[in-house]
Amino acid sequence: MTKEVVILGIESSCDDTSAAILKGQKILSNVIANQKVHEQYGGVVPELASRAHQQNIIPVVDAALKKANIKKNEIDAIAYTNGPGLMGSLLVGSSFAKAFAMGMNIPLIAINHMQAHILAHFIDEGEKMPSFPFLCLTVSGGHTQIVKVESPTKMEIIGATLDDAAGEAFDKSAKILGLPYPGGPLIDKYAKNGNINAFTFGKPKIKNLNFSFSGLKTSILYKIQDEVKQHADFITENKADLCASIQHAIVTILIEKLQKAKTQTSINQIAIAGGVSANSYLRNELKLIAKQEKFDLFIPKFEYCTDNAAMIAIAGHFKFINKDFSTQTESPSAHLLF
Ligand code: KG4
Ligand code: ZN
């Protein structure tokens, strides 16, 4: 029997420092250190993020190795996020990975963060995985894309946001409601007790598979400003209904475009990925539609939705098979494309 490849994955593109150990396609550990320091600023402060990564990276890798019960010399390759992301944050992970690869004399594998979100579907959890080709709605704090996935290494973006990402739409709406960063999970939480039809907001009129969320954000802002002028406690008294209505508006935009992409491509396998795929309303609505319209739906395990190194390691696994290695001179790129 051939030995299963062991990969150390490193993720540091934004504000989470993460290390994971993957053996074959199974995750042995996936350790994530969140950075609480940004909460008070209403968004990620890049300089603070890179400093926190610097402090977290060694303890996080150490914890991942211990949890997986793997020794450094058992690792076959190290995969790291090469972009897109915040430059200072990317530099911490990439420098660590380069030093580790050189010190251990093992291959170095550069990973595109957005492709890794999609490939998280191939982590072996004993569940059915998508087969190729499939469509993936990749929704995070920085990106909103519909991707046609032909193979682990061949992907094409067929729709993307023209302005804000879906995660940003959640976070900026949350900020208007006075909620701390990141507001997406909080909107999800408060929406559970609210009425999705309590408020209606402007809808974008983009004809192709692209998205736009900036108009919605403005519509939410004006509506709330008008109401607060007349009644100071408007937000507190209507928090659940506001969250449910905002969430419904964002999720409806996402689902309508995904359905359009499905019709246009005749691809009947749909996946979601990225931080916003953790949203319970999006997950539940898609499950209902998949049942009605009889298509295969793939939703990642909760811990593989938001940023994590397990997805970097699985993306590394496929590149390892193709011997697609990187070099010590490769620089991370904040706007890395597919
Ligand atoms: O993929 P991710 O962890 O980081 C990026 O690569 O950007 O995504 C983070 C985004 C944030 O905007 C956060 O508010 C959003 O995902 N998010 C959610 C939920 N959990 C995370 N948005 C809505 N509902 C959630 N449950
Ligand atoms: Zn992400």
Side-chain angles (χ1 to χ4, degrees):
M1 205 175 93
T2 50
K3 177 186 168 290
E4 284 187 303
V5 176
V6 176
I7 297 198
L8 167 61
I10 303 286
E11 156 62 24
S12 73
S13 65
C14 190
D15 59 339
D16 294 313
T17 321
S18 180
I21 300 287
L22 179 84
K23 188 172 188 178
Q25 285 182 233
K26 286 205 159 71
I27 285 295
L28 303 185
S29 64
N30 181 36
V31 176
I32 305 171
N34 306 114
Q35 302 179 1
K36 295 274 169 250
V37 63
H38 308 287
E39 270 174 21
Q40 57 186 306
Y41 298 102
V44 177
V45 184
E47 177 61 23
L48 297 180
S50 44
R51 287 186 209 181
H53 282 305
Q54 196 76 274
Q55 287 173 338
N56 292 343
I57 189 114
I58 305 265
V60 162
V61 171
D62 204 39
L65 286 167
K66 286 204 175 92
K67 200 163 172 220
N69 200 17
I70 287 280
K71 294 195 179 54
K72 281 203 292 276
N73 60 9
E74 292 175 75
I75 297 169
D76 296 305
I78 180 162
Y80 69 99
T81 307
N82 196 35
L86 301 170
M87 197 42 148
S89 295
L90 291 167
L91 279 168
V92 177
S94 65
S95 306
F96 175 88
K98 285 178 186 177
F100 192 92
M102 189 182 265
M104 301 304 295
N105 198 22
I106 55 171
L108 185 62
I109 306 173
I111 299 296
N112 180 304
H113 179 90
M114 297 312 294
Q115 292 190 342
H117 268 303
I118 297 171
L119 294 171
H121 285 282
F122 296 93
I123 293 169
D124 185 357
E125 296 279 330
E127 307 251 329
K128 193 176 159 204
M129 295 175 189
S131 53
F132 302 103
F134 66 94
L135 292 179
C136 189
L137 172 72
T138 318
V139 268
S140 72
H143 294 82
T144 297
Q145 301 170 337
I146 299 179
V147 182
K148 188 172 159 193
V149 189
E150 311 257 17
S151 79
T153 48
K154 192 168 174 235
M155 305 185 189
E156 184 195 351
I157 299 169
I158 57 172
T161 184
L162 303 174
D163 40 59
D164 290 347
E168 260 176 304
F170 270 105
D171 296 338
K172 287 181 178 172
S173 305
K175 201 172 177 181
I176 297 171
L177 299 180
L179 300 172
Y181 178 87
L186 293 170
I187 292 196
D188 190 350
K189 181 176 147 194
Y190 296 125
K192 290 197 163 67
N193 301 317
N195 172 5
I196 59 167
N197 297 314
F199 303 101
T200 47
F201 305 105
K203 242 184 142 185
K205 293 185 184 68
I206 313 278
K207 286 207 171 69
N208 51 23
L209 295 177
N210 290 333
F211 301 87
S212 169
F213 291 100
S214 64
L216 173 68
K217 181 190 64 193
T218 314
S219 159
I220 294 168
L221 179 67
Y222 288 168
K223 169 84 188 156
I224 291 177
Q225 278 177 345
D226 282 353
E227 296 284 353
V228 169
K229 255 185 230 154
Q230 291 163 40
H231 182 52
D233 292 332
F234 172 76
I235 295 179
T236 335
E237 286 172 11
N238 295 281
K239 192 156 80 178
D241 283 348
L242 282 167
C243 288
S245 303
I246 290 169
Q247 177 172 267
H248 175 68
I250 298 171
V251 167
T252 303
I253 295 172
L254 294 173
I255 292 183
E256 282 181 5
K257 280 293 152 92
L258 192 53
Q259 281 181 303
K260 192 170 183 174
K262 179 178 152 291
T263 310
Q264 271 185 23
T265 58
S266 305
I267 294 177
N268 238 3
Q269 292 204 92
I270 307 284
I272 54 172
V276 180
S277 65
N279 183 266
S280 60
Y281 185 64
L282 174 66
R283 293 164 89 101
N284 291 337
E285 286 297 289
L286 275 176
K287 278 184 203 162
L288 285 176
I289 298 170
K291 221 174 189 177
Q292 281 163 10
E293 298 186 8
K294 298 190 176 40
F295 62 82
D296 289 334
L297 177 68
F298 300 90
I299 299 183
K301 212 175 138 189
F302 203 74
E303 66 171 305
Y304 303 139
C305 289
T306 44
D307 290 349
N308 66 87
M311 68 185 199
I312 305 301
I314 189 75
H317 169 90
F318 291 112
K319 281 198 155 185
F320 187 93
I321 292 170
N322 291 337
K323 294 199 168 33
D324 185 358
F325 301 137
S326 145
T327 64
Q328 289 285 334
T329 52
E330 184 149 349
S331 304
S333 164
H335 302 287
L336 189 67
L337 302 172
F338 274 23

